[in-house]
Amino acid sequence: MTPEDISRLFVERANAGDAAGLAELYEPDAVLAYPPGSVTVGRDAIRAVCEQMLQRVPRFEVEESLPTIHHGDLALTSTRPSDNTGGRVQIVRRQPDGSWLRVIDRPETR
């Protein structure tokens, strides 16, 4: 898995209605800036927010990835949003098994 794979996996799991699978893309104490204007902390809280989001958003699309910036076991990923919300950025961290998980996620920047 690469840092860029997280966005694709997010879309796949969201379209499958898998809130628990979405939450597994985050570290246990990750921070999600969603819903807009809020901060959600921790995988359990993120799962609950994802459950609510999946009820409101019927379908997700894979978005164009912007260049990833790496620094050791950290990477900054971003996509150009198709819904004109300004931008999406995430900080992901390489895990001991070589996989990557989100640490900080800001899905809307406007």
Side-chain angles (χ1 to χ4, degrees):
M1 180 192 321
T2 67
E4 298 82 2
D5 288 331
I6 299 287
S7 292
R8 177 186 51 80
L9 291 169
F10 188 95
V11 170
E12 289 174 5
R13 293 175 186 188
N15 288 339
D18 184 3
L22 289 173
E24 290 298 318
L25 297 173
Y26 294 84
E27 287 192 349
D29 59 349
V31 176
L32 171 64
Y34 190 85
S38 301
V39 175
T40 302
V41 179
R43 191 178 280 159
D44 290 338
I46 290 170
R47 184 183 66 244
V49 165
C50 287
E51 288 170 354
Q52 295 171 6
M53 175 192 64
L54 292 174
Q55 292 174 359
R56 291 190 310 272
V57 181
R59 181 111 180 112
F60 288 77
E61 299 295 327
V62 175
E63 297 173 331
E64 175 189 354
S65 291
L66 299 172
T68 298
I69 301 169
H70 291 264
H71 179 70
D73 287 337
L74 295 175
L76 176 69
T77 62
S78 57
T79 58
R80 192 176 320 269
S82 58
D83 62 2
N84 297 316
T85 56
R88 304 188 202 292
V89 295
Q90 305 84 30
I91 296 175
V92 297
R93 184 181 354 242
R94 186 183 348 255
Q95 304 300 299
D97 66 359
S99 66
W100 294 82
L101 294 176
R102 287 180 172 171
V103 180
I104 300 172
D105 184 3
R106 185 175 195 119
E108 299 178 353
T109 59
R110 66 168 144 146

